[in-house]
Amino acid sequence: MANEVILLDFWPSMFGMRTRIALREKGVEFEYREEDLRNKSPLLLQMNPIHKKIPVLIHNGKPVCESTIQVQYIDEVWSHKNPILPSDPYQRAQARFWVDFIDKKMYDAQRKVWATKGDEQEAGKKEFIELLKVLEAELGDKPYFGGDDFGYVDIGLIGFYTWFHAYEKYGNFSIEAECPKLIAWAKKCLQRESVAKSLPESEKVTDFVTQLRDLYLAK
Amino acid sequence: MANEVILLDFWPSMFGMRTRIALREKGVEFEYREEDLRNKSPLLLQMNPIHKKIPVLIHNGKPVCESTIQVQYIDEVWSHKNPILPSDPYQRAQARFWVDFIDKKMYDAQRKVWATKGDEQEAGKKEFIELLKVLEAELGDKPYFGGDDFGYVDIGLIGFYTWFHAYEKYGNFSIEAECPKLIAWAKKCLQRESVAKSLPESEKVTDFVTQLRDLYLAK
């Protein structure tokens, strides 16, 4: 059976970036379709009627929603190369734990860094830096989160890196000064073709964040 | 290697119930340790330093945190009987989607039904009933969420059933009148020994919810 793979996505989405990377790690050809989130396509609404959110992976006409579920699905369907999750059940559980941690904590925390001001922003900045330090401690001196091989946690986190410059600009702090190992890790990830091809330029993300910030703070 | 399995849990937790059921589905002997959440044990703090939450599954001294990750871990380690996740990648993705939906939506919605009053409670009730109807539509006329076999989504949802009576009492509505198929499904799940042994009595949960409600509304 031919594999028809379509990804409904939005370019600055750190969640969409996960799925792009996973597909490229596996060498899966896919059609990327940019969504206008203020005017969602009928296909998006049909394929993800519950959440109506990107990214949506459509494989031979059938939708898979939620980025972490997409990445696991991709790993299971295209299992012939570049395993994303470790094979050992305990290591798999640990990898899932850290991606779950990122999903539960990072998005809300990072948003406070650039979409708020005053005390709320200061508290958000503190919370965000603490989260990064937890992640840096978990990384330790390993090349990647899972050890020697690029994998699930790396894919789960690396998209946020494209937003780092915007956090630094609006939070007025240096992530490299706080978490040098995390920055070294991100640069290593970017040497992979799957990552480099899937991540937008930081400057472009920062311009996008600037527009969003103006919108939120004008409210 | 002998399997030493300890579960740090709290009896009314619908998340802990998932892990209890999964262990019993697999016939895994385990030591259940009740936690006092107002005075957490040093073992809990040591085994789940990030979230400091139950349930924590400790397998041969190593912790696995987060109930959905525990259930998947249990399914992968004790793969010899009663598969919990389907073997087909697409069906697995669908099962993960629905458990993720439950995790993202149900807990906050159900809380509003019994921990608030007035307009907030009415809005919460409406939201909660809508969620149940989405789940009932997904169940349809199937015996279990995954089809003919009890599995991951059933385990993800059934614990909430022990709280239904409390929702009905404080929300002043009948879940059976709104979602009869969901109630029939829950009763079928309860016929399984793994479920019956893992779920507390509704009356006991309702008493617990009453105490919590008094505490929240007194604030």
Side-chain angles (χ1 to χ4, degrees):
Chain A
M1 180 157 124
N3 278 310
E4 186 201 53
V5 180
I6 298 168
L7 181 65
L8 308 183
D9 203 347
F10 179 53
W11 68 270
S13 168
M14 50 282 261
F15 304 110
M17 293 177 210
R18 294 171 171 174
T19 306
R20 293 172 221 164
I21 294 170
L23 288 167
R24 292 190 169 112
E25 279 291 317
K26 299 292 186 173
V28 177
E29 297 281 328
F30 64 99
E31 181 190 338
Y32 179 96
R33 289 199 198 164
E34 188 72 10
E35 282 286 330
D36 175 357
L37 298 187
R38 286 163 304 184
N39 182 23
K40 294 175 182 175
S41 73
L43 187 63
L44 174 58
L45 302 179
Q46 177 200 334
M47 289 291 168
N48 190 359
I50 300 293
H51 298 302
K52 304 178 179 68
K53 284 183 180 172
I54 59 92
V56 178
L57 179 72
I58 308 173
H59 183 200
N60 294 328
K62 293 195 296 185
V64 176
C65 301
E66 301 293 324
S67 66
T68 59
I69 298 175
Q70 290 161 4
V71 173
Q72 292 180 80
Y73 175 78
I74 291 164
D75 199 31
E76 292 173 5
V77 170
W78 290 279
S79 54
H80 63 292
K81 68 179 269 198
N82 290 358
I84 293 172
L85 276 107
S87 58
D88 172 69
Y90 190 76
Q91 296 306 321
R92 291 164 74 84
Q94 291 306 101
R96 288 187 176 122
F97 175 84
W98 286 108
V99 174
D100 179 76
F101 172 81
I102 293 164
D103 278 355
K104 283 189 174 133
K105 305 279 187 182
M106 284 279 283
Y107 189 80
D108 288 347
Q110 61 85 33
R111 199 181 163 286
K112 286 180 207 155
V113 175
W114 57 266
T116 65
K117 54 187 177 181
D119 290 347
E120 192 182 355
Q121 188 186 33
E122 279 309 305
K125 206 170 103 177
K126 193 163 167 269
E127 184 189 338
F128 183 67
I129 293 172
E130 277 168 19
L131 286 181
L132 292 182
K133 284 184 185 287
V134 168
L135 288 167
E136 178 159 280
E138 170 60 20
L139 175 65
D141 292 316
K142 303 189 297 281
Y144 297 108
F145 278 88
D148 290 333
D149 298 314
F150 179 80
Y152 192 54
V153 184
D154 307 303
I155 291 176
L157 185 61
I158 190 64
F160 286 90
Y161 178 68
T162 62
W163 289 59
F164 275 17
H165 182 248
Y167 307 151
E168 292 178 322
K169 178 173 178 177
Y170 291 112
N172 195 27
F173 66 112
S174 158
I175 295 178
E176 186 153 23
E178 302 283 351
C179 299
K181 287 179 186 171
L182 214 53
I183 298 297
W185 158 84
K187 287 180 178 161
K188 186 160 40 237
C189 290
L190 268 166
Q191 289 169 12
R192 294 183 79 84
E193 195 186 339
S194 67
V195 178
K197 274 195 169 178
S198 302
L199 265 46
E201 285 173 16
S202 272
E203 292 71 24
K204 210 179 144 196
V205 173
T206 303
D207 288 347
F208 171 73
V209 170
T210 301
Q211 289 171 38
L212 276 188
R213 177 178 163 85
D214 290 348
L215 206 68
Y216 288 134
L217 294 187
K219 274 181 186 165
Chain B
M1 180 159 125
N3 278 309
E4 185 200 54
V5 179
I6 298 168
L7 181 64
L8 309 183
D9 202 348
F10 179 52
W11 67 270
S13 168
M14 51 282 262
F15 304 109
M17 294 177 209
R18 293 172 171 174
T19 307
R20 294 172 221 163
I21 294 170
L23 288 167
R24 291 190 170 113
E25 279 290 317
K26 299 292 187 173
V28 177
E29 297 281 327
F30 64 100
E31 182 190 338
Y32 179 95
R33 290 199 199 165
E34 187 73 9
E35 282 285 330
D36 175 357
L37 298 187
R38 287 163 304 184
N39 183 22
K40 294 174 183 176
S41 73
L43 187 62
L44 174 57
L45 301 178
Q46 178 200 334
M47 290 289 166
N48 191 359
I50 300 292
H51 298 302
K52 304 178 179 68
K53 285 184 179 173
I54 58 92
V56 177
L57 179 73
I58 308 173
H59 183 200
N60 294 329
K62 294 194 295 184
V64 178
C65 300
E66 300 292 325
S67 65
T68 58
I69 298 174
Q70 290 161 3
V71 173
Q72 292 180 80
Y73 175 78
I74 291 164
D75 199 33
E76 291 173 5
V77 171
W78 290 278
S79 55
H80 63 293
K81 68 180 271 196
N82 291 358
I84 293 173
L85 276 108
S87 57
D88 173 69
Y90 190 75
Q91 296 305 321
R92 291 164 73 85
Q94 292 305 102
R96 287 186 176 122
F97 175 83
W98 286 108
V99 173
D100 179 75
F101 172 81
I102 293 165
D103 278 355
K104 283 190 174 132
K105 305 281 188 183
M106 283 278 284
Y107 189 80
D108 289 346
Q110 61 86 33
R111 199 181 163 286
K112 287 180 207 155
V113 175
W114 57 266
T116 65
K117 53 188 177 181
D119 289 348
E120 192 181 356
Q121 188 186 31
E122 279 309 305
K125 206 169 105 178
K126 190 163 169 270
E127 184 189 338
F128 183 67
I129 293 172
E130 276 169 19
L131 285 181
L132 291 182
K133 285 183 186 287
V134 168
L135 289 167
E136 178 159 281
E138 171 59 20
L139 175 65
D141 292 316
K142 303 189 297 282
Y144 296 107
F145 277 90
D148 290 333
D149 298 313
F150 178 81
Y152 191 54
V153 185
D154 307 303
I155 291 175
L157 185 61
I158 190 64
F160 287 90
Y161 178 68
T162 63
W163 289 59
F164 276 17
H165 181 249
Y167 306 152
E168 291 178 323
K169 179 173 176 177
Y170 292 112
N172 194 28
F173 67 111
S174 158
I175 296 178
E176 185 152 23
E178 302 282 352
C179 299
K181 287 179 186 171
L182 215 51
I183 299 296
W185 159 83
K187 287 180 179 162
K188 186 161 38 237
C189 290
L190 267 165
Q191 289 168 12
R192 293 182 81 83
E193 195 187 339
S194 67
V195 178
K197 274 195 169 177
S198 302
L199 266 46
E201 286 173 16
S202 272
E203 293 70 23
K204 212 178 143 198
V205 173
T206 304
D207 287 348
F208 171 74
V209 171
T210 301
Q211 289 171 39
L212 277 189
R213 177 178 162 85
D214 290 347
L215 206 67
Y216 288 134
L217 294 188
K219 273 182 188 165

